[in-house]
């Protein structure tokens, strides 16, 4: 065990050293934000501080929740970087054609057009940033294009655009409109201008835009190959390792449920309301999801009801993604709070009060942050209040700063409550110690890494804001959440007496080391095109490919868990929590492993970033793995609270199958075909086209968008059924009236 721990510590420390080093390089080599933009004739077109003000304005409107920048964000409105770049390029070509040949560009002969395109490519790729003056110098034609784009974007944001699901009046202040356009301009400039002394742009030539010579870099192709080969190698190695393992002797399962007769402490009982909240938030998330998806087909209304002034797309999408995180977190926090005193064997003093205080705090953060986001998107928060109480503009860490800090405090309160309950068990130094230590490490990391959200501060450059944002999102989902999931499932099986605590501890530490070995440096796979140096692409692609290796083998664990749970009749009682855990493994393979790797190689993500292939992966992985785990933990906890009651099968059975089939149908019938069609468009014509209304509104794609309905309906019914089932566990109607008792089941003894 000592050697395992040593390996764990070395892997984690070395990986963070590399990730930290990459962060320093990113900071040093991020595209510069100019103070001013001036023309070659000396005229100022973007005034001092206007780009930064534009970043603020964009964030206050909901930022990534309305379109995207550098491919990061939402999918109905355009990617503003690609959109601006394409408009600007066409505008300059048009100006040159008219000035030199007196005719429209489209009417020129092919050789003349080719010559102009070459000139355009050369001029856009030339880096004209003057570091000594912090000024960016552009041609008068680019300046003229900027003015036209100011008019265009002002029109988009004041009058609204149905096809982008942008409501009228989204941004009406002319100063802010101009500043936001300046920010779009800057993101597009960095996407085409070569790094000093290089022939590749700051964003490694992303987005694909033939007009300015943006095509995949040599690195993107080479690291794609290397990462795939390494993945295959990893799979071979892991297969060999598995083959070598002696089949483990099954620990004979106890004759009756070891949890029977255990008592629920006051703090454990206080956890039940968390689960009602989980279901309420999940239902609300689905409602928001249905509205958000519907905006994709009817940009300003919901089946004819004009709702875009009350609940704009930006708000429903923000709430949809954020509620997902909130209910999943709530389920896990609650399960942790239930398990902790059971493990420690004592109820710490005042624990129930702590659990209740945390609950109130969570409710305040959920409701407060949602209200702030709505006010911010509606541009109702004066001055800088948007930053503190409104919308951060960054997807998955959407709440304003104060709410982020409040959530962090809440997470640490949770950690405190967990630690004090578990400590007595750790002090016993018995065979539970390794697995409990790992459990505590995962809990500390989950709480602590949210702190990285604070790194994306008021004036942080988009490159570094992305870095810190993915410290939260990626290090959670592909790092410490995986550890938490492995540990918690192993631990619960150990509590049921199905596996030994010692071997559970060893196996969990080993798999945590394997996950984190790829997962920590793998963070960089989100940053290939975010203004980062080429080393980021190399490290990110290789290490994230290694992350996939253990995911391809989760079938082993799932099968073992199923086998274990079929040993004794009393285990029938745990069938549904176990089924949810098996589904976690399934979606880890399909949603995270396969759909994650589909978009992961640099050459794939170059064309696919921010297309519908991303929500394919997002839904199948985030809901599929961690949502399902949240439900599984909830069901296990509710099961353990009353082990003598016999569950009625029908409702929960429907919920389980309808949820999984619904998710599969939603992804397979709608999101994936649209994503693949978009990929084709992105390769053929450029990224801007794949995201443009011309393409997205094609009838065949419209049909595929409608095909979301069957999956969504199954999925919605499943969540409603689960809510009903959970309510029935409190109100009684989810239990058999006359328990068909298995022979060894006895009623709970109350001590
Ligand atoms: C259970 C584990 C995982 C979860 C919960 C998860 C979740 C997510 C989420 C929520 C996003 C953002 C989607 C968006 O921007 O709308 C994302 C993006 C991404 N994920 Fe994962 N992921 C997991 C595992 C993986 C794995 C194993 C890989 C590949 C090795 C991967 C590769 C990616 C990539 C490349 C992106 C960026 C897509 C883009 O920017 O368009 N993910 N993931
Ligand atoms: Fe990731």
């Amino acid at each position: 065990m000592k050697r395992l721990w040593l390996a764990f510590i070395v892997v984690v420390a070395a990986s963070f050293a590399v990730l930290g080093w990459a962060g320093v390089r990113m900071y040093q080599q991020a595209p510069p934000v100019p103070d001013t933009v001036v023309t070659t004739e000396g005229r100022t077109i973007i005034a001092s501080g206007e780009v930064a003000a534009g970043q603020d304005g964009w964030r206050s409107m909901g930022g990534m929740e309305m379109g995207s920048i550098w491919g990061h964000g939402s999918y109905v409105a355009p990617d503003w970087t690609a959109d601006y770049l394409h408009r600007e390029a066409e505008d300059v070509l048009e100006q040159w054609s008219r000035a030199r040949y007196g005719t429209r560009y489209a009417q020129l002969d092919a050789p003349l057009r080719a010559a102009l395109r070459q000139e355009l490519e050369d001029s856009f790729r030339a880096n004209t940033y003057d570091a000594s003056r912090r000024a960016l110098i552009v041609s008068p034609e680019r300046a003229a294009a900027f003015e036209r784009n100011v008019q265009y974007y002002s029109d988009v944001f004041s009058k609204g655009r149905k096809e982008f699901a942008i409501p009228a009046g989204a941004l009406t202040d002319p100063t802010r409109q101009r500043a936001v356009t300046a920010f779009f301009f800057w993101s597009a400039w960095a996407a085409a201008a070569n790094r000093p002394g290089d022939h590749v742009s700051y964003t490694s030539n992303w987005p694909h835009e033939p007009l300015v010579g943006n095509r995949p870099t040599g690195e993107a192709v080479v690291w794609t190959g290397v990462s795939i080969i390494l993945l295959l190698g990893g799979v071979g190695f892991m297969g060999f390792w598995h083959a070598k393992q002696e089949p483990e002797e099954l620990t004979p399962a106890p004759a009756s449920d070891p949890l029977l007769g255990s008592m629920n402490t006051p703090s454990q009982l206080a956890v039940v309301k968390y689960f009602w909240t989980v279901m309420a938030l999940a239902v609300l998330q689905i409602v928001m999801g249905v509205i958000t998806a519907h905006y994709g087909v009817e940009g300003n209304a919901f089946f004819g009801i004009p709702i875009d002034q009350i609940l704009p797309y930006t708000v429903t999408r923000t709430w949809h993604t954020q509620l997902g995180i909130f209910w999943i977190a709530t389920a896990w926090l609650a399960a942790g709070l239930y398990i902790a005193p059971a493990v420690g064997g004592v109820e710490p003093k005042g624990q129930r009060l702590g659990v209740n205080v945390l609950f109130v705090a969570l409710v305040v953060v959920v409701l407060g942050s949602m209200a702030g986001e709505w006010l911010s998107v509606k541009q109702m928060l004066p001055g800088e209040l948007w930053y503190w109480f409104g919308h951060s503009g960054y997807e998955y860490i959407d709440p304003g700063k104060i709410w982020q800090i409040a959530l962090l405090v809440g997470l640490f309160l949770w950690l405190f409550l967990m630690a004090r309950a578990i400590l007595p068990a750790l002090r016993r130094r018995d065979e539970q110690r390794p697995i409990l230590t790992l459990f505590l490490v995962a809990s500390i990391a989950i709480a602590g890494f949210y702190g990285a959200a604070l790194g994306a501060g008021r004036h942080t450059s988009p490159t570094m804001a992305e870095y810190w944002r993915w410290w939260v999102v990626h290090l959670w989902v592909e790092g410490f959440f995986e550890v938490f999931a492995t540990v918690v499932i192993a631990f619960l099986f150990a509590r049921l007496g199905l596996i030994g605590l010692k071997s559970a501890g060893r196996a969990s530490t080993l798999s945590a080391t394997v996950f984190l070995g790829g997962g920590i440096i793998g963070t960089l796979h989100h940053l290939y095109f975010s203004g980062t140096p080429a080393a980021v692409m190399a490290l990110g692609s290789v290490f994230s490919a290694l992350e996939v290796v253990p995911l391809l083998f989760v079938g082993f664990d799932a099968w073992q868990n199923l086998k274990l749970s079929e040993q004794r009749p009393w285990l029938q009682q745990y069938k549904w929590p176990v089924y949810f855990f098996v589904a976690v493994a399934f979606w880890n393979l399909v949603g995270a492993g396969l759909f994650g790797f589909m978009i992961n190689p640099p050459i794939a993500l170059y064309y696919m970033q921010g297309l519908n292939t991303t929500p394919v992966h997002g839904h199948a992985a985030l809901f599929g793995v961690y949502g399902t785990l949240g439900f599984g933990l909830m069901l296990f906890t509710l099961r353990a609270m009353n082990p003598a009651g016999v569950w009625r099968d029908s409702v929960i059975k429907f919920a389980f199958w309808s949820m999984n089939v619904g998710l599969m149908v939603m992804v397979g019938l709608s999101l994936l075909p649209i994503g693949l069609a978009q990929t084709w468009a992105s390769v053929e014509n450029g990224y801007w086209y794949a995201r443009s209304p011309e393409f997205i509104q094609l009838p065949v794609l419209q049909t595929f968008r409608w095909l979301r309905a069957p999956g969504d309906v199954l999925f919605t019914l499943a969540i409603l059924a689960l809510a009903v089932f959970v309510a029935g566990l409190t109100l009684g109607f989810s239990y058999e009236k006359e328990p068909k008792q298995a022979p060894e089941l006895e009623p709970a003894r109350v001590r």
Side-chain angles (χ1 to χ4, degrees), residues 470 473-475 477-479 519 522-526 544 547 600 617:
W470 289 111
V473 186
H474 174 101
L475 287 177
V477 299
E478 286 160 77
T523 310
L524 300 172
H525 68 166
H526 298 284
S544 57
E547 262 175 60
N600 195 66
H617 162 61

Side-chain angles (χ1 to χ4, degrees), residues 227 230-231 233-234 514 517-519 541-551 597:
S227 68
L230 275 175
L231 168 60
V514 174
S541 59
V542 164
F543 280 85
S544 57
L546 293 178
E547 262 175 60
V548 177
V549 174
L551 297 178
F597 196 68

